[in-house]
Amino acid sequence: MADVAFDDAANLARAQPLRPVASEAPWFRRTLVALVLAIVGVLLLAPLAVVFTEALAKGLGAAVSALGERDARAAIRLTLLVAAIAVPLNAVFGVAAAWAIAKFDFRGKAILITLIDLPFSVSPVVAGLCLVLVFGANAPLGAWLVANGWPVIFAVPGIVLATMFITFPFVARELIPVMQEHGRAEEEAALTLGASGWRTFLTVTLPNIRWALLYGVLLCNARAMGEFGAVAVVSGKIRGQTNTMPLMIEMLYNEYLSVAAFSMAALLALLALVTLTLKTALEWRYADQLAANRRH
Amino acid sequence: MTAMRAARFRQPSPLPGFGLALGTTLAMLSLIVIIPIGALLLKGAGIGIGDIAANLAKPRVWAALLLSFRIALLAALFNLAFGLALAWVLVRYDFPGRRLLDAAVDLPFALPTAVAGIALTTLYAPNGAFGQLLAPLGIKVAYTPLGIWVALVFVGLPFVVRTVQPVVAEIDREIEEASATLGAYRARTFLRVILPMLTPALLTGFALALARGVGEYGSVIFIAGNLPSVSEIAPLLIVIRLEEFDYDGAVAIAVAMLAISFAMLLVINLVQVWSRRRFGDA
């Protein structure tokens, strides 16, 4: 491009002179793309591929029958149950938090947002330990609950609480910026026209945030079903009772039952792939209705 | 409505539901997050600074904390550089498979950590696909601190990419063109014009990846080998202490890790304040 004649105006216009100066040399671009693709292949795609090749190492039949084992089915059921409780509760929390934070101005809002974000930066194991300190048999509350027949730690409620802690910010984080962007003019108009508060929420606010809500729920669910560290601390890992799918994977893997471990892992990897596909589809189709800055 | 109007700490608004929404938010936040973390801090206060310090000073504990922090730092540094390259390629270049690559970046967010852990271990074990290639070179990955680094690079990768990507997309190309017109080479434009604009996002992504790496458990414990003082990470030591019913020991490590988390959060918030002052509302 350097030897374009400056007096040749027509040539200059055709040559799109602005593009090269604000970009890198072609050889550099090609090298960088190749490098990035290679590293992503080794770092991200190879682990994904190995999950499926190991699961199918002894054929599809062996993988399916491993998933049909009694303890495996119990683990799958428990994971589904925990997600079915934790995700809707976190969705309700997310909508409530976003409504309060995005539609109103009040003191201490910044602190509230920081507290909601806190679980993102706390180690899952520390989260599990915190729950043990409140609800464990050594704590006053925990001892009282156990005495009354409602054990939390080493039981399903503890797993639900641990899962909720880890996935707590997902829906709120997604909804707050979207609702802030919408402002409150539409809701105010609906109220002026005589709609009740709930009707305003259901017919004005909810349609505006539905895709963002679905997006948040999707990410929340993927993390909820896959959570390991926090759940490992509170579950007690009782086979057939408090073993979730990720905990079952660890148990099978440590017993050298490779096909069984990777079959369970493949099931969760499939969930991850479905999540990514739906997430990407939502981003393409409804980009304008999702939070612009995707942070997890 | 009337109950809300009585609340003086907020600006008046015609919208209903503030009390219900904030009440639900605070109730759930307290039950799930604040009370449990408060219990940890309370327990830590009960043990006392002196005993916590004594606990942390034990060689095995100190080694685990140092290992977790050091490897997380090294992994976050790699992700800082590679995340920037990845974000740049995704925004600026057009090539076949770009959108697929964009979707693949989120794989570590979507793939459960235990799945990533056993998959990485299988790949990098001495008889695994990558382990076999590296063994003749004398490089052992699985069951060494290098394995921990690989796992932390995996889980931390999306953080830098996803914080930097939207900022790269918003860079005004005319500024780069102005820099080039004024005679700067491309590399100089990148270092002196583009990089300063990306610095807040890079720092935020780096801090997020670091925070995640320090606390990461699921993907690490399979590949680490978990040799005390060599490849035993701090979160694992908390689990071990709990299994020994040594609650004070577990709490001491957890308090130290929580302090690191808070420091990280503070850094992220300070970076954002600084960036807003320097670059306007970002």
Side-chain angles (χ1 to χ4, degrees):
Chain A
M1 278 300 143
D3 53 4
V4 170
F6 277 100
D7 52 356
D8 190 346
N11 196 6
L12 198 63
R14 264 205 311 278
Q16 294 177 298
L18 291 183
R19 200 184 62 83
V21 297
S23 188
E24 293 77 44
W27 69 265
F28 184 86
R29 300 169 140 232
R30 274 196 290 274
T31 315
L32 195 61
V33 168
L35 193 71
V36 161
L37 287 176
I39 295 180
V40 166
V42 169
L43 213 60
L44 300 187
L45 301 184
L48 184 66
V50 87
V51 170
F52 292 105
T53 55
E54 290 289 319
L56 299 175
K58 288 185 183 143
L60 186 63
V64 171
S65 74
L67 291 174
E69 296 274 329
R70 203 167 53 94
D71 289 344
R73 274 184 298 154
I76 295 170
R77 263 201 308 274
L78 180 60
T79 290
L80 291 174
L81 173 73
V82 169
I85 301 170
V87 175
L89 283 175
N90 272 352
V92 168
F93 163 78
V95 172
W99 181 262
I101 287 168
K103 303 285 182 187
F104 297 91
D105 288 313
F106 55 93
R107 261 187 271 166
K109 199 196 260 192
I111 297 173
L112 183 61
I113 294 175
T114 306
L115 284 175
I116 290 173
D117 269 350
L118 195 58
F120 274 152
S121 40
V122 173
S123 169
V125 171
V126 173
L129 173 65
C130 288
L131 290 170
V132 170
L133 292 176
V134 177
F135 298 104
N138 287 0
L141 178 62
W144 183 81
L145 286 168
V146 170
N148 285 280
W150 299 308
V152 173
I153 301 304
F154 304 151
V156 176
I159 301 174
V160 172
L161 284 173
T163 306
M164 283 184 70
F165 183 105
I166 295 302
T167 57
F168 203 59
F170 277 94
V171 179
R173 259 284 138 201
E174 186 57 34
L175 287 184
I176 291 168
V178 173
M179 272 165 95
Q180 269 171 341
E181 216 170 278
H182 277 296
R184 46 192 173 214
E186 291 177 29
E187 281 85 1
E188 284 170 4
L191 289 167
T192 315
L193 292 170
S196 69
W198 278 114
R199 187 157 176 215
T200 305
F201 175 76
L202 290 175
T203 55
V204 177
T205 311
L206 206 55
N208 277 336
I209 60 165
R210 60 186 161 179
W211 299 117
L213 180 61
L214 184 61
Y215 190 89
V217 164
L218 204 62
L219 297 179
C220 182
N221 180 62
R223 187 69 202 266
M225 289 193 170
E227 178 49 28
F228 179 76
V231 170
V233 173
V234 299
S235 109
K237 301 178 190 173
I238 308 163
R239 266 175 191 268
Q241 285 180 39
T242 63
N243 233 4
T244 62
M245 289 170 75
L247 298 179
M248 192 79 197
I249 291 173
E250 184 200 22
M251 203 171 269
L252 294 167
Y253 185 81
N254 287 340
E255 288 166 2
Y256 302 101
L257 296 169
S258 176
V259 168
F262 277 100
S263 306
M264 191 69 87
L267 213 53
L268 284 175
L270 281 177
L271 170 77
L273 287 177
V274 169
T275 303
L276 281 185
T277 309
L278 289 176
K279 175 178 170 297
T280 308
L282 280 176
E283 278 163 11
W284 288 359
R285 178 76 183 73
Y286 301 106
D288 52 328
Q289 294 175 47
L290 299 176
N293 194 341
R294 287 176 275 155
R295 210 190 97 184
H296 305 267
Chain B
M1 286 288 279
T2 42
M4 288 155 16
R5 221 169 265 140
R8 286 222 185 102
F9 73 103
R10 73 176 177 96
Q11 304 287 313
S13 161
L15 294 190
F18 178 72
L20 179 66
L22 192 66
T24 310
T25 304
L26 290 179
M28 288 184 76
L29 189 65
S30 303
L31 178 69
I32 306 285
V33 180
I34 297 176
I35 293 176
I37 289 183
L40 174 65
L41 295 176
L42 206 67
K43 180 91 179 169
I47 297 170
I49 298 275
D51 283 357
I52 288 181
N55 238 312
L56 297 181
K58 287 178 188 166
R60 185 175 169 189
V61 178
W62 188 241
L65 280 169
L66 222 55
L67 179 75
S68 275
F69 196 76
R70 191 178 68 226
I71 306 289
L73 195 67
L74 291 173
L77 279 173
F78 175 85
N79 279 334
L80 184 67
F82 182 60
L84 173 60
L86 193 46
W88 189 262
V89 162
L90 284 174
V91 175
R92 289 295 178 93
Y93 301 168
D94 205 12
F95 53 93
R98 186 178 62 86
R99 295 186 119 179
L100 203 63
L101 182 66
D102 198 0
V105 167
D106 281 327
L107 189 67
F109 280 148
L111 198 67
T113 51
V115 177
I118 63 169
L120 289 170
T121 311
T122 304
L123 278 176
Y124 290 96
N127 58 353
F130 294 161
Q132 272 175 344
L133 298 174
L134 295 169
L137 308 171
I139 303 171
K140 273 201 226 162
V141 180
Y143 319 124
T144 70
L146 190 57
I148 305 177
W149 181 80
V150 169
L152 294 187
V153 165
F154 179 88
V155 296
L157 180 67
F159 289 97
V160 176
V161 181
R162 291 308 186 216
T163 43
V164 172
Q165 198 177 3
V167 185
V168 174
E170 273 172 24
I171 293 177
D172 189 350
R173 297 293 278 266
E174 283 180 16
I175 298 173
E176 292 167 52
E177 284 157 10
S179 166
T181 318
L182 292 170
Y185 287 114
R186 188 64 189 154
R188 192 164 177 207
T189 301
F190 186 82
L191 288 176
R192 303 295 295 271
V193 178
I194 298 170
L195 210 52
M197 289 195 274
L198 299 181
T199 305
L202 281 168
L203 284 176
T204 305
F206 174 77
L208 287 170
L210 182 59
R212 175 71 199 263
V214 172
E216 178 57 22
Y217 176 72
S219 59
V220 174
I221 53 160
F222 297 99
I223 201 169
N226 306 328
L227 269 173
S229 300
V230 176
S231 59
E232 184 179 63
I233 54 165
L236 176 65
L237 200 50
I238 295 180
V239 172
I240 292 174
R241 290 284 183 257
L242 263 179
E243 282 167 0
E244 294 166 347
F245 299 105
D246 177 6
Y247 283 85
D248 289 6
V251 166
I253 305 168
V255 167
M257 294 192 59
L258 201 61
I260 297 175
S261 302
F262 282 143
M264 237 46 104
L265 266 185
L266 189 69
V267 167
I268 293 169
N269 282 319
L270 286 178
V271 165
Q272 270 156 6
V273 168
W274 167 71
S275 134
R276 225 168 288 148
R277 260 196 221 140
R278 188 155 177 216
F279 301 101
D281 197 44

